[in-house]
Amino acid sequence: VCLLLELAKSAALKAGEIIRSYNSVGRTNNSAVVSVKSGVDLVTEADTRVEKVVTEMIKNAFPDDMIVGEEDYASCPSGAQGEHFPKGSIWCVDPIDGTTNFVHNYPFVAVSIGFIHDSIPRVGVVYNPFTDSLYEAAEGSGVGTLLNGNPVRVDSEASSVQDCLLVNNIGHYRADEFVDESTDRVKKWLRAGLRGYRASGSAAQNMAHVASGQVSCYYEHGYGGPWDVCAGIVLVREAGGVVWDARDNGKDLEMRFGKGSVCAGGKKVVEDVLKVAGKPAFKFD
């Protein structure tokens, strides 16, 4: 596990160097070439460059492991929506989680590298190159989750929406039913007395912030794919929190292909956030 974690950290830091090389201040100064994947979902040359470097580092160290990446360099074919991950050793890589933020030079951008064995995330590293924040955790390490080498824990004081700082991404879907359901959910939380609402645009950063207690809870119905949450699952669990499927209050989030639903934080606050939100109805293709 130590070797896996060290590799993930080295790869994340190298990725961060590449990401920083594109950026200055203000949207017009970002030198990365931008393409549209679909709708308002963006990808840049930096995404594919970073993913290539990270996957090469993993392949050199563990040539028999599979890799699932968001962009072009995955060695494991993506499964159908909702399909379980295969058994074995799999790396899950999001080279730039928060690409739209990156394009706009908004600093909630993260490299996310997770390692899965037998369908369970075991090692997670999330690195924000702009805040120079390195979050790391390994299942059963005995040291929990670390932020730049210091132990961190989930917010232990939040127990309901009334004392919760909630971060909630709405994602790239713009279908009327999805937009209506998403905004109605926010209204439910606010009417229940939610302390604070945030939307960062990066699932990996959200989960890292939950693990470090900087936000109380993260909810998203429709995160982009397993690469968004794989590393964060380890961070949150090792920091004393739970990561549940937002469609099933009390059920651990499982690694599946396609879009998914997540609620992460301390157990009590997650229970209440899900109770107030109700079960999401919108289904992804």
Side-chain angles (χ1 to χ4, degrees):
V1 171
C2 183
L3 290 175
L4 300 170
L5 183 60
E6 290 306 312
L7 173 61
K9 287 162 61 177
S10 296
L13 291 170
K14 180 63 178 176
E17 291 177 14
I18 298 170
I19 293 168
R20 279 194 300 266
S21 74
Y22 285 89
N23 260 62
S24 183
V25 178
R27 183 179 183 184
T28 56
N29 293 325
N30 188 314
S31 60
V33 176
V34 181
S35 303
V36 176
K37 285 200 285 191
S38 63
V40 295
D41 194 6
L42 305 179
V43 63
T44 74
E45 61 178 288
D47 291 80
T48 50
R49 184 179 165 198
V50 168
E51 187 170 295
K52 183 177 181 181
V53 168
V54 171
T55 54
E56 285 178 352
M57 291 178 70
I58 293 170
K59 278 297 179 188
N60 286 338
F62 298 99
D64 296 329
D65 289 359
M66 291 185 288
I67 302 172
V68 175
E70 182 173 12
E71 310 306 342
D72 296 336
Y73 293 91
S75 63
C76 173
S78 292
Q81 171 67 39
E83 184 180 332
H84 279 282
F85 263 46
K87 298 289 186 180
S89 296
I90 304 173
W91 294 82
C92 212
V93 177
D94 194 340
I96 301 179
D97 186 48
T99 299
T100 301
N101 291 348
F102 172 66
V103 169
H104 288 262
N105 285 292
Y106 187 63
F108 288 116
V109 173
V111 182
S112 179
I113 303 174
F115 174 78
I116 304 163
H117 185 67
D118 289 343
S119 304
I120 298 174
R122 313 284 184 175
V123 170
V125 170
V126 171
Y127 179 55
N128 183 322
F130 300 115
T131 61
D132 196 25
S133 302
L134 180 69
Y135 303 81
E136 59 179 284
E139 183 186 58
S141 68
V143 297
T145 300
L146 303 179
L147 166 55
N148 291 341
N150 299 309
V152 290
R153 300 287 290 176
V154 297
D155 179 1
S156 60
E157 297 182 13
S159 59
S160 69
V161 294
Q162 286 85 7
D163 52 11
C164 170
L165 179 60
L166 174 70
V167 62
N168 164 228
N169 289 354
I170 291 178
H172 303 292
Y173 266 67
R174 295 296 180 265
D176 287 346
E177 310 95 290
F178 179 74
V179 171
D180 289 344
E181 181 179 301
S182 299
T183 52
D184 286 346
R185 187 180 301 118
V186 175
K187 291 176 186 177
K188 290 179 181 178
W189 288 323
L190 294 174
R191 286 170 178 154
L194 181 68
R195 173 177 285 179
Y197 178 89
R198 304 290 182 267
S200 77
S202 169
Q205 182 67 81
N206 291 343
M207 295 191 79
H209 279 160
V210 168
S212 57
Q214 292 167 281
V215 297
S216 312
C217 183
Y218 161 49
Y219 179 106
E220 183 167 2
H221 179 52
Y223 61 76
W227 41 78
D228 285 342
V229 297
C230 176
I233 288 173
V234 188
L235 297 180
V236 174
R237 288 177 179 167
E238 291 297 310
V242 299
V243 184
W244 288 351
D245 190 322
R247 295 163 294 194
D248 192 350
N249 197 336
K251 182 181 180 182
D252 286 339
L253 183 64
E254 298 177 341
M255 293 307 300
R256 296 173 182 263
F257 289 103
K259 293 186 177 295
S261 302
V262 62
C263 192
K267 185 174 182 235
K268 286 185 178 180
V269 73
V270 166
E271 286 175 338
D272 200 47
V273 165
L274 289 175
K275 178 182 176 183
V276 173
K279 186 175 181 177
F282 188 87
K283 291 181 170 55
F284 301 100
D285 297 330

